[in-house]
């Protein structure tokens, strides 16, 4: 049965079509606005210069903002592995949520059910690898926090949407807050580069500040119970385990 999608098109996209083979990634976002109607207005306002391909509303309704084969403006300055400016190779899905600046909330069950259905359809249609399903913060470490630590990455991975580690929770909890030495911290960040995260690419940001942001990005995705930017033994174990899945 076809997925029910309501059209509400945005003028914010590149006029030149791409081929289906160019679509390699799915990027999840939250809207980060207090009001759902304001978020929809912004995504369809020519002056905002932002858009996405799909918006999932609070009630689970899916709104089509830009057709798949057009490049929507959702990722901004971004990178993952050898890819830059991921707008060109991705489908962007926004999920209504006020975000970290406006009383960040748990995503609604209806939203996640719709997200599962939509994403599975897109994976099948464009033959997208699970490791190419990412959050906005994964590809824009210096700028973004979404979809954040309340996004159900572990649950989605059980449905072959995205990657999650295969480590015992008891083992992980025992290693939480256990200190790492300088060599281990370097090893952790090298692991993140192998997974796909980018090196610092802005001259105006201090390296230590960037690494802390990168650590928090990693934690929001893979160690959601504690997002403190500190590299402990738990983070190190998770990074080691993920290498196998991403390479």
């Amino acid at each position: 049965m076809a997925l029910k999608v309501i059209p509400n098109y945005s003028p914010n996209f590149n006029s030149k079509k791409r081929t289906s083979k160019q679509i390699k990634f799915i990027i999840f976002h939250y809207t980060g606005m207090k009001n759902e109607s304001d978020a929809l207005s912004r995504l369809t306002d020519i002056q905002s210069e932002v858009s996405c391909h799909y918006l999932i509303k609070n009630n689970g309704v899916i709104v089509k903002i830009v057709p798949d084969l057009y490049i929507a403006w959702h990722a901004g300055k971004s990178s993952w592995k050898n890819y830059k400016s991921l707008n060109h190779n991705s489908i962007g899905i926004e999920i209504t949520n006020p975000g970290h600046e406006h009383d960040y909330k748990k995503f609604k069950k209806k939203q996640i059910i719709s997200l599962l259905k939509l994403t599975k359809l897109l994976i099948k249609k464009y033959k997208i690898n699970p490791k190419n399903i990412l959050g906005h913060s994964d590809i824009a470490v210096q700028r973004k926090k979404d979809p954040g630590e309340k996004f159900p990455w572990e649950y989605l991975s059980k449905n072959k949407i995205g990657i999650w580690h295969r480590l015992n929770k008891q083992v992980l909890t025992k290693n939480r807050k256990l200190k790492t030495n300088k060599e281990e911290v370097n090893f952790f960040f090298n692991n993140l580069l192998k997974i796909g995260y980018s090196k610092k690419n802005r001259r105006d940001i201090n390296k230590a500040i960037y690494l802390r942001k990168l650590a928090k990005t990693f934690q929001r995705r893979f160690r959601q119970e504690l997002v403190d930017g500190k590299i402990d033994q738990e983070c190190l174990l998770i990074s080691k385990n993920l290498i196998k899945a991403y390479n």
Side-chain angles (χ1 to χ4, degrees):
M1 191 173 80
L3 191 67
K4 187 180 178 182
V5 178
I6 296 169
N8 189 340
Y9 292 118
S10 173
N12 302 331
F13 61 91
N14 291 14
S15 58
K16 187 180 177 182
K17 259 189 177 181
R18 58 185 173 181
T19 66
S20 59
K21 286 183 179 179
Q22 287 176 282
I23 299 171
K24 305 286 185 185
F25 297 87
I26 295 173
I27 311 297
F28 296 138
H29 309 250
Y30 61 45
T31 53
M33 297 183 73
K34 288 180 182 179
N35 186 289
E36 182 172 80
S37 60
D38 287 348
L40 184 56
S41 294
R42 186 167 187 266
L43 290 166
T44 54
D45 179 2
I46 195 167
Q47 292 185 331
S48 74
E49 297 186 341
V50 295
S51 61
C52 61
H53 293 93
Y54 299 92
L55 169 70
I56 299 177
K57 298 176 76 175
N58 281 317
N59 61 5
V61 169
I62 301 169
V63 183
K64 191 160 199 169
I65 307 288
V66 172
D68 293 359
L69 293 183
Y70 288 95
I71 295 168
W73 304 339
H74 62 97
K77 190 174 182 180
S78 51
S79 58
W80 185 260
K81 294 210 167 188
N82 295 323
Y83 287 85
K84 305 286 182 188
S85 301
L86 271 83
N87 280 339
H88 294 88
N89 300 99
S90 66
I91 286 178
I93 301 176
E94 291 267 4
I95 307 149
T96 297
N97 189 295
H100 290 83
E101 292 183 16
H102 305 290
D103 189 24
Y104 184 40
K105 298 180 187 300
K106 187 178 177 182
F107 293 87
K108 297 181 186 300
K109 189 175 179 181
K110 286 181 179 179
Q111 290 179 309
I112 301 306
I113 290 169
S114 294
L115 183 68
L116 270 171
K117 291 177 182 177
L118 173 61
T119 308
K120 282 185 174 182
L121 187 147
L122 294 171
I123 288 168
K124 187 177 180 182
K125 188 173 183 179
Y126 299 110
K127 299 179 176 62
I128 293 171
N129 192 310
K131 66 185 180 182
N132 286 346
I133 296 172
L134 305 167
H136 196 186
S137 59
D138 293 322
I139 62 169
V141 171
Q142 292 167 188
R143 300 184 299 111
K144 297 295 179 178
K145 296 178 181 177
D146 59 315
E149 63 274 13
K150 294 181 182 179
F151 189 72
W153 283 111
E154 183 177 9
Y155 172 73
L156 292 174
S157 73
K158 290 172 183 173
N159 288 274
K160 298 181 180 178
I161 296 171
I163 298 293
W164 192 257
H165 58 78
R166 296 181 179 181
L167 294 168
N168 182 285
K169 286 200 173 183
Q170 288 181 321
V171 172
L172 290 176
T173 305
K174 283 179 184 178
N175 283 277
R176 188 170 298 167
K177 295 188 179 181
L178 292 184
K179 289 184 179 180
T180 49
N181 60 39
K182 190 175 180 181
E183 188 179 343
E184 287 172 324
V185 169
N186 288 335
F187 188 60
F188 169 80
F189 285 117
N190 283 333
N191 285 345
L192 266 56
L193 297 180
K194 289 176 185 175
I195 287 167
Y197 289 98
S198 292
K199 291 180 180 178
K200 181 176 83 75
N201 56 16
R202 266 175 49 189
R203 291 179 182 177
D204 62 335
I205 187 167
N206 179 278
K207 185 180 179 183
I209 293 171
Y210 176 72
L211 292 180
R212 188 173 173 82
K213 282 189 174 186
L214 181 53
K216 282 189 173 184
T217 295
F218 175 84
Q219 290 165 346
R220 285 193 177 97
R221 174 76 190 264
F222 298 110
R223 204 276 298 275
Q224 299 178 317
E225 296 88 348
L226 179 62
V227 180
D228 60 0
K230 296 175 183 177
I231 316 312
D232 56 21
Q233 291 293 334
E234 183 185 21
C235 291
L236 184 60
L237 280 173
I238 294 169
S239 73
K240 286 178 184 177
N241 187 265
L242 288 169
I243 291 292
K244 300 166 191 173
Y246 277 96
N247 291 283

